[in-house]
Amino acid sequence: MAQAQIGIIGGSGLYKMDALKDVEEVRVDTPFGSPSDALILGTLEGTRVAFLARHGRNHTLLPSELPFRANIYAMKSLGVEYLISASAVGSLKEEAKPLDMVVPDQFIDRTKNRISTFFGSGIVAHIAFGDPVCKNLAGVVADAVASLELPDVTLHRGGTYVCMEGPAFSTKAESNLYRSWGATIIGMTNLPEAKLAREAEIAYATLALVTDYDCWHPDHDSVTVEMVIANLQRNAVNAQKAIQETVGRISQNPPASDAHSALKYAILTPLDKVSAATKEKMGVLLKKYL
Ligand SMILES: CSC[C@H]1O[C@H](OP(=O)(O)O)[C@H](O)[C@@H]1O
Ligand SMILES: Nc1ncnc2[nH]cnc12
């Protein structure tokens, strides 16, 4: 199968990467179903990367309908070691204004209907998730953004991303509650992805693109899809530049990541007690340990 060291998951408004060369479209089937869409393999900064439109290229999947396990499994099967998520987010803090970029370092889980593990069916594992994004990869993403000196874009290093279920946006009471918790941004997708990437031993980091002030801000209209897309269209070129610069930096100097050995001490079930069917289903995720 085709291979790529770096994966990119594009969220709302980022359905393709214009700079990819030698493009190949790959349909990957996984034991966890089909990914959101075909993966687009291409060369960026001299490195093979795999791009996936999180909601499908025509934005046909709700956050609650996303095949998170298939998406991460497909990336792992292609050999991906570093995964960059580009995502639209609402801002919960005055200083993170629309068009800014945030590289979060924490998540709060407010989802209700997501399957966020590959384990079960006779094999138990508990990964460490105290630091839910790879610090080193997040550093590379943030340094890449900073190096571009994008006009009118402030970079925020660190911050807490609240992952809500959606698809409706939050109420004002919820938005203010998350503000009282000190959270920085809000979205609907990145937390299950980060957990599954960690279980798949893939380093994961988020480039969050601020599109709105959610609904808490007294001087701004409450978030609408129109607002999100308008701001993302303004920022899509910047987002692609930032991703390209990040890919160049990773390929020059691949960062060390604790994520790459996340399962080493996490699996509780003796592997000789795991059924052949489960071992087969876990396929590329367990290969190293079998
Ligand atoms: C179009 S606004 C809500 C939608 O946008 C974000 O998507 P993504 O994280 O894939 O960029 C947010 O999480 C919601 O899914
Ligand atoms: N305000 C918001 N809430 C949840 N997800 C979002 N994605 C973009 N803006 C958002």
Side-chain angles (χ1 to χ4, degrees):
M1 186 177 315
Q3 290 286 296
Q5 186 195 22
I6 302 171
I8 300 158
I9 299 187
S12 298
L14 193 66
Y15 305 111
K16 62 181 170 65
M17 288 283 298
D18 297 319
L20 293 190
K21 303 253 161 47
D22 301 322
V23 171
E24 184 188 348
E25 192 171 312
V26 188
R27 292 249 165 222
V28 186
D29 250 330
T30 84
F32 298 93
S34 300
S36 302
D37 206 328
L39 283 93
I40 309 298
L41 272 86
T43 302
L44 193 62
E45 298 289 312
T47 300
R48 290 303 274 174
V49 303
F51 177 85
L52 176 64
R54 178 181 287 119
H55 303 272
R57 275 170 284 189
N58 297 314
H59 209 125
T60 44
L61 296 165
L62 286 169
S64 315
E65 293 175 325
L66 292 177
F68 290 106
R69 290 191 296 180
N71 290 351
I72 299 296
Y73 194 100
M75 289 285 178
K76 184 76 181 176
S77 338
L78 294 174
V80 165
E81 294 167 29
Y82 301 96
L83 188 52
I84 306 159
S85 155
S87 265
V89 294
S91 169
L92 298 169
K93 285 197 192 280
E94 181 81 51
E95 61 269 26
K97 50 185 202 317
L99 304 186
D100 281 2
M101 294 188 184
V102 183
V103 181
D105 58 358
Q106 281 298 329
F107 289 105
I108 293 175
D109 192 357
R110 291 275 301 165
T111 65
K112 299 182 174 81
N113 282 320
R114 315 281 174 96
I115 304 176
S116 301
T117 182
F118 290 109
F119 289 92
S121 307
I123 179 164
V124 174
H126 302 278
I127 45 139
F129 205 54
D131 291 305
V133 299
C134 169
K135 273 188 187 153
N136 293 345
L137 182 60
V140 177
V141 173
D143 290 347
V145 172
S147 75
L148 295 172
E149 298 185 358
L150 299 165
D152 303 324
V153 175
T154 303
L155 164 69
H156 305 267
R157 290 176 188 261
T160 298
Y161 173 124
V162 176
C163 191
M164 60 176 288
E165 185 64 41
F169 293 115
S170 306
T171 64
K172 286 188 174 131
E174 288 164 336
S175 200
N176 280 314
L177 177 67
Y178 306 146
R179 276 170 53 69
S180 76
W181 292 347
T184 316
I185 49 178
I186 182 159
M188 305 180 189
T189 59
N190 276 219
L191 182 97
E193 239 166 48
K195 275 192 184 155
L196 291 162
R198 180 65 56 83
E199 287 189 351
E201 299 191 323
I202 299 175
Y204 182 91
T206 297
L207 173 62
L209 309 153
V210 178
T211 52
D212 53 84
Y213 273 117
D214 200 34
C215 58
W216 62 270
H217 201 300
D219 305 334
H220 289 268
D221 290 339
S222 290
V223 55
T224 61
V225 163
E226 197 185 359
M227 194 186 282
V228 170
I229 298 302
N231 277 338
L232 264 184
Q233 277 168 355
R234 288 172 67 193
N235 221 4
V237 174
N238 284 345
Q240 292 187 54
K241 278 189 198 155
I243 293 168
Q244 184 166 350
E245 178 66 25
T246 303
V247 166
R249 286 168 181 247
I250 297 170
S251 60
Q252 293 279 307
N253 193 6
S257 180
D258 290 345
H260 292 157
S261 54
L263 290 182
K264 196 166 173 192
Y265 302 110
I267 303 173
L268 285 172
T269 315
L271 289 173
D272 59 352
K273 302 288 183 245
V274 176
S275 71
T278 295
K279 279 183 189 158
E280 172 148 357
K281 187 173 183 200
M282 299 293 281
V284 289
L285 306 176
L286 286 188
K287 204 162 81 185
K288 198 164 116 187
Y289 297 98
L290 291 173

